[in-house]
Structures are given as structure tokens and as C-alpha cells.
Amino acid sequence: MPELPEVETVARDLERAVAGAAINDATVHWDRTIRHPQPPERFVAEIAGATIRRVTRRAKTVLLHLDDGRVMTVALRMTGALIVAPAGTPPDPYARVVFDLADGRQLRYRDVRKFGRIGLWPGGGLRSVGAGRGARSRRVAEGGGRYRIGEVFSGHGPEPLQRSFTAERFAERLSRRSAKLKSLLLDQSFIAGVGNIYADEALWRARLHPLRSADSLTEREVRRLHRAVRGVLRQGIANRGSSISDYVGADGEPGANAERLAVYRRTEQPCYRCGRRIERIVVGQRSTHFCPRCQREPVASAAT
């Protein structure tokens, strides 16, 4: 699944390519892709004639801000991609939603496995999210109400690359949790945008075992992990994301960060720091990669 660096790359590509573009019409080829509003015909009617003002990201979701204040969310999930196709480009059989732009181009939502979702929401409240109100988030996911964009993300934690996400704030949040570090970094209500790839990479950089409990970290370790999380995310963005499987940018090209990963999917290969073979365990049903020498296992731990 695309994580923060991949989604940020797509958002930046689209900001350059379609900011200011008008949407003449849309065609939905897979009804379940549309999360809100329902039915899909209503979504098409409401998006036709809109102009894309700017494109940003929140957590692992692309946000297309429209000129009337509404926001279209695109959750790429496992195999989703937003591709800008020049006029005359042959149809894509995996394009689940196609937006016809006024200049003849198409913005295509391509999704082989059909897990991604697109929604159209009234604006407002986006800056106030991050308190982790999971119950409201679940109600929004179920549909039925007319929620503002901020409420859609009410269950998400803070953005790790924002200035406000300081080491002190990170320490305070960690001190209240006893969960294993790997599981906690994947918890979107704790921190937004980090997934399996960058959690493994950050823990390796910080020399912390994935089974360490969050509340056991010293101040020095917290600062190391804070730097590591931000560092691996920035590296991922600089390299236009990690194309492990299906991920591509809005230009259809893969990212280059997969070649620079230190531990993720490098089982049995030597650690770049000490030479010990990288090991793989399962934590919270997720594959987890680490160096047993650089990342010492806590006493009496067990992979769960």
C-alpha cells in the first residue's frame, strides 16, 4: 500500500499537472470505487463542472481541493494510481474512474485490485484533526451523513513531517502507550502516513527492536526515533517513493526509493551497518524486517 512518501509524490505531481484544470465530466467504471456521495451517478453530477484549485495530501490520501471549497479524496490503497493521460491516449481497462478535463486530457484513477475509494466532501475542519477520535472516523467510513472533510480524518494522528510534530510531542504520545513500537508506528490514529516499509526503515535507523514497548524508550531513544521517522519519510519523498509492486507517480513512472531501503524485504542479506544477516518476523500480522545485532531484542519479548 502506498505510504506517506508515495502519496505525497502523487499529490505533488498532480499539483503541477492539474491545478487550475476544469473537470468537464466523469465516468465511473466500478461503482464501489465511489465512497461518497451515493449513488455514483450523484457523484458524477456533483463533480462535473468543478475546477481543481490545488492538490495536497493528508495521511495516505490524496486531496483535490475544488474552487468551491469542496474536497475530493482519493485513497489509493493497494494498487491505486492517479494518472494524467494526454488527449488521445488509448483507454485503460483498469481505469475505474475517469475525469475528462476541459483541455482534452484525462485524470484516470487506475486500480487493478479495486480496493481504492474516492469521496467528495464539503470543506472545513481539516486543520483541527488529529485527536484520534476513532469512533467518529468509523461512522464516517460507514457513510450516511454529509461530513466535512476534516471529520473524514478525525481518527487520524498527527502528520510526522509537520513542524508541530516535535520530539517532545512524540515523547509525550509514546509515554502513554505500552504497545510494541512496530505496531504503534502502523497505527494511523497514533501517527498518520507511516506504513510497513517506513516503520521498518525508521526502527533500523534508530537502532530499536520492533518489539520494544513504546513506554520503555529513554529520552535519547525517543529523539533518535523521531529523527529516523522524519528522515526515512523525507528520503522516500526525495526519491519519489518506493515502487515495491504497483506504485507509480502521476506520470506513470515508478519511484527510486526501493533501491535505497536498508532492511525492508532484505531478509538474509547483510546489514549495511554491521554485516549481520537481516531477519524477518511477524508483528501484528505484518512482515517485519530488522537487524538482530543493531536492534537488540528486549528481554522476554515474543513476536505476536
Side-chain angles (χ1 to χ4, degrees):
M1 179 181 292
E3 302 178 30
L4 187 155
E6 291 74 45
V7 180
E8 180 69 23
T9 298
V10 171
R12 292 183 182 187
D13 284 354
L14 291 177
E15 171 68 15
R16 289 188 292 268
V18 301
I23 300 173
N24 277 356
D25 200 4
T27 305
V28 177
H29 296 289
W30 181 255
D31 286 355
R32 293 183 186 176
T33 298
I34 304 303
R35 174 183 175 189
H36 182 85
Q38 286 291 330
E41 292 78 12
R42 180 182 167 191
F43 170 86
V44 170
E46 291 193 10
I47 199 67
T51 296
I52 301 169
R53 180 165 54 89
R54 61 191 178 98
V55 185
T56 64
R57 175 198 57 79
R58 171 67 171 129
K60 300 178 184 179
T61 301
V62 177
L63 308 181
L64 292 93
H65 303 259
L66 306 181
D67 60 350
D68 59 7
R70 293 177 299 162
V71 181
M72 183 166 66
T73 58
V74 183
L76 303 176
R77 306 244 172 117
M78 294 294 292
T79 60
L82 281 164
I83 307 294
V84 180
T89 303
D92 183 344
Y94 296 110
R96 307 307 176 188
V97 182
V98 176
F99 301 92
D100 295 313
L101 305 182
D103 60 9
R105 296 177 299 164
Q106 289 184 335
L107 176 60
R108 298 174 175 177
Y109 176 67
R110 185 180 198 274
D111 191 358
V112 175
R113 299 184 66 181
K114 305 178 181 176
F115 291 150
R117 295 294 179 265
I118 297 176
L120 183 60
W121 316 88
L126 189 59
R127 291 186 180 181
S128 65
V129 301
R133 298 186 295 275
R136 176 180 289 182
S137 176
R138 286 191 292 273
R139 289 198 297 273
V140 173
E142 292 164 4
R146 190 163 179 81
Y147 296 91
R148 299 188 307 167
I149 182 62
E151 294 174 294
V152 174
F153 293 99
S154 63
H156 285 71
E159 288 285 335
L161 294 182
Q162 286 185 342
R163 282 189 176 184
S164 58
F165 188 70
T166 62
E168 290 74 21
R169 184 182 182 189
F170 192 37
E172 191 273 332
R173 293 176 70 81
L174 286 167
S175 68
R176 291 182 286 146
R177 304 293 292 268
S178 60
K180 307 304 182 188
L181 286 176
K182 175 61 185 287
S183 299
L184 193 57
L185 290 176
L186 298 182
D187 182 350
Q188 296 301 292
S189 70
F190 180 77
I191 182 173
V194 178
N196 215 32
I197 298 173
Y198 297 99
D200 282 0
E201 294 297 302
L203 290 170
W204 179 81
R205 279 200 189 190
R207 298 174 180 259
L208 294 171
H209 195 281
L211 295 179
R212 279 284 298 273
S213 15
D215 57 5
S216 73
L217 268 58
T218 66
E219 179 180 349
R220 184 177 180 181
E221 289 173 329
V222 169
R223 291 189 175 277
R224 222 164 52 213
L225 182 57
H226 180 262
R227 286 194 302 271
V229 168
R230 290 162 69 95
V232 297
L233 293 176
R234 285 172 175 150
Q235 174 187 289
I237 293 170
N239 293 319
R240 294 184 52 77
S242 301
S243 291
I244 302 297
S245 53
D246 298 275
Y247 161 73
V248 292
D251 58 0
E253 295 298 321
N257 198 58
E259 303 167 6
R260 294 166 174 81
L261 299 178
V263 288
Y264 184 74
R265 289 196 177 182
R266 295 194 63 246
T267 307
E268 295 300 320
Q269 297 181 51
C271 171
Y272 290 137
R273 196 159 45 207
C274 73
R276 184 79 173 265
R277 291 184 182 275
I278 300 300
E279 293 185 5
R280 175 189 174 276
I281 58 174
V282 177
V283 181
Q285 299 182 330
R286 303 299 297 275
S287 294
T288 299
H289 310 81
F290 69 101
C291 172
R293 178 177 294 163
C294 295
Q295 299 165 263
R296 296 291 184 183
E297 184 173 3
V299 176
S301 67
T304 56

